[in-house]
Amino acid sequence: MNKISKRLFSIGLSVATCSMLVYPVLAEDTEQPVTTQVEEQATQKEYNLQITKYNGDGSPVTEYTTFTLPSNADEKEFYQYIPTHFIPDGYEMLRDPMVIPVYKIDENTWALCIQKKSTEENTEPSQTTYTFNLTIEYMYEYNKTESKTVTIQNYVPGTSVSQYIMDNCVPEGYKFDSCYCEHNGTNEEDRDSYVLYVYKGMMFQYQTYIDGKVDETIQIGYIDHEATDEEIKEKIATNVSTEYDIVSIEESTDGVWRVNVVPANKDNEKFTLIINKDGQETKSTITISKKDQKDYGSVYRYIKDNYLPDGYHVDY
């Protein structure tokens, strides 16, 4: 089955290259096989750009423009393209430890924050070291966090710490989601503290259909890149409101999962089921009717009889 690999709001097709080997009909004067290659070019997409300029007195002026990039461009291309093409002479990226100078607002809009360069008469800011506490939150991974102390060498006061974290502190194999300053310290023992959110794996998208009527909002989630379709369905099910019962979860031809629901039956109850199998935890949402609870005598007996993997027993 196909895996969902496209990013949120990037609806265009990825660049795909296909090769086909053409052999002529055998004859006395046979020719060598001819290889032809066809490339499908990625479509271009127009994006909005919000530029906030901070003048010498610190007052901001906001301007708007547009730019074009391939529809399948990844975020790294945006971070490189925007500063290269939209910082005018006399300006530089905003040096504010609380602000990321280039960031994404929504699927069609990006933002750039810039400031006037220091005048030639001003002396260059002194370089020093800057130490802060960093907590890394691993999104979509059950109860996984990491805390450490980070020191920036040759730090120039006023430069963006958030930008440094994004460029240097994202663990290998993970992607940057967001970063913010959680606490401003006042002395060496009480350092500034930042929180970095990262995620790993692939993104999936889904829409909810209530009694056949679509909710236009496309929801997103992330899951390990090796996850099966059944694991994706289980992940989606955990996000469905308890006000609804799931009828089915199906993958559409455009890669967006369709979640068919109906108003919840008051005779049903939803439970979060966590199974620890060989040290690996899986989490899912299950529905048990009050009748089944009565027939089995307890929720525990129902789960044991219907969800215990073959060959395993409950570890008391």
Side-chain angles (χ1 to χ4, degrees):
M1 297 184 182
N2 290 328
K3 294 297 182 67
I4 304 172
S5 58
K6 63 179 183 177
R7 294 187 55 80
L8 175 61
F9 311 123
S10 297
I11 305 175
L13 295 174
S14 301
V15 176
T17 304
C18 57
S19 299
M20 58 183 179
L21 195 59
V22 182
Y23 292 89
V25 178
L26 293 176
E28 290 184 0
D29 296 329
T30 59
E31 298 180 0
Q32 293 297 321
V34 178
T35 301
T36 62
Q37 183 167 309
V38 180
E39 290 190 355
E40 181 182 337
Q41 299 295 329
T43 57
Q44 295 291 308
K45 181 177 178 180
E46 185 175 79
Y47 297 89
N48 300 315
L49 180 61
Q50 172 186 296
I51 304 175
T52 303
K53 296 180 177 179
Y54 289 87
N55 297 316
D57 59 359
S59 61
V61 176
T62 302
E63 302 175 354
Y64 298 90
T65 186
T66 60
F67 64 96
T68 302
L69 279 179
S71 59
N72 63 347
D74 59 29
E75 290 191 358
K76 184 177 181 181
E77 294 180 64
F78 286 88
Y79 289 122
Q80 294 175 342
Y81 181 86
I82 292 173
T84 302
H85 292 81
F86 292 100
I87 298 181
D89 291 340
Y91 283 83
E92 61 186 353
M93 287 206 289
L94 180 64
R95 294 184 177 184
D96 186 336
M98 301 294 293
V99 178
I100 298 177
V102 179
Y103 61 92
K104 181 178 180 180
I105 297 177
D106 57 42
E107 61 175 308
N108 297 311
T109 308
W110 284 74
L112 170 65
C113 299
I114 57 178
Q115 66 182 24
K116 273 189 173 294
K117 288 183 178 180
S118 302
T119 59
E120 294 181 359
E121 290 76 18
N122 291 339
T123 59
E124 290 293 326
S126 60
Q127 294 184 341
T128 181
T129 60
Y130 173 70
T131 301
F132 59 93
N133 299 320
L134 178 65
T135 299
I136 303 176
E137 296 280 354
Y138 292 85
M139 302 171 65
Y140 317 108
E141 297 185 42
Y142 186 68
N143 208 25
K144 183 178 180 181
T145 62
E146 177 186 352
S147 297
K148 60 182 179 179
T149 300
V150 179
T151 298
I152 304 177
Q153 302 294 335
N154 299 323
Y155 173 71
V156 177
T159 56
S160 173
V161 176
S162 295
Q163 185 72 45
Y164 177 89
I165 292 173
M166 182 175 69
D167 293 340
N168 299 278
C169 300
V170 176
E172 185 176 355
Y174 286 82
K175 296 181 179 180
F176 173 85
D177 179 81
S178 59
C179 175
Y180 70 94
C181 182
E182 183 179 47
H183 168 72
N184 285 313
T186 56
N187 52 55
E188 184 66 20
E189 292 73 27
D190 186 24
R191 297 189 181 101
D192 292 350
S193 296
Y194 287 79
V195 178
L196 166 65
Y197 286 91
V198 297
Y199 64 90
K200 184 178 184 179
M202 63 179 178
M203 180 177 67
F204 59 84
Q205 304 174 350
Y206 63 94
Q207 279 184 297
T208 303
Y209 290 73
I210 305 173
D211 282 334
K213 185 177 180 180
V214 63
D215 179 348
E216 298 294 340
T217 304
I218 296 181
Q219 305 291 338
I220 66 168
Y222 298 92
I223 197 167
D224 187 87
H225 68 282
E226 295 181 351
T228 63
D229 285 352
E230 289 304 315
E231 289 172 326
I232 295 174
K233 290 181 182 180
E234 290 178 3
K235 185 73 172 180
I236 293 173
T238 62
N239 297 326
V240 175
S241 169
T242 55
E243 297 178 0
Y244 300 99
D245 287 337
I246 298 174
V247 177
S248 64
I249 300 178
E250 308 161 352
E251 186 176 9
S252 303
T253 55
D254 60 359
V256 178
W257 291 82
R258 172 172 176 156
V259 185
N260 298 301
V261 301
V262 294
N265 185 335
K266 294 182 179 180
D267 291 330
N268 293 338
E269 288 188 82
K270 289 188 177 182
F271 300 86
T272 298
L273 177 62
I274 300 175
I275 299 178
N276 189 313
K277 178 182 175 183
D278 299 330
Q280 297 294 321
E281 287 189 349
T282 58
K283 185 177 180 181
S284 61
T285 300
I286 62 175
T287 301
I288 307 176
S289 69
K290 293 180 179 178
K291 180 179 182 303
D292 283 338
Q293 294 179 45
K294 182 178 179 180
D295 291 345
Y296 280 83
S298 68
V299 172
Y300 167 78
R301 173 58 64 180
Y302 180 89
I303 292 174
K304 182 178 179 182
D305 290 354
N306 292 276
Y307 290 95
L308 187 66
D310 292 340
Y312 287 79
H313 67 273
V314 177
D315 186 8
Y316 296 97

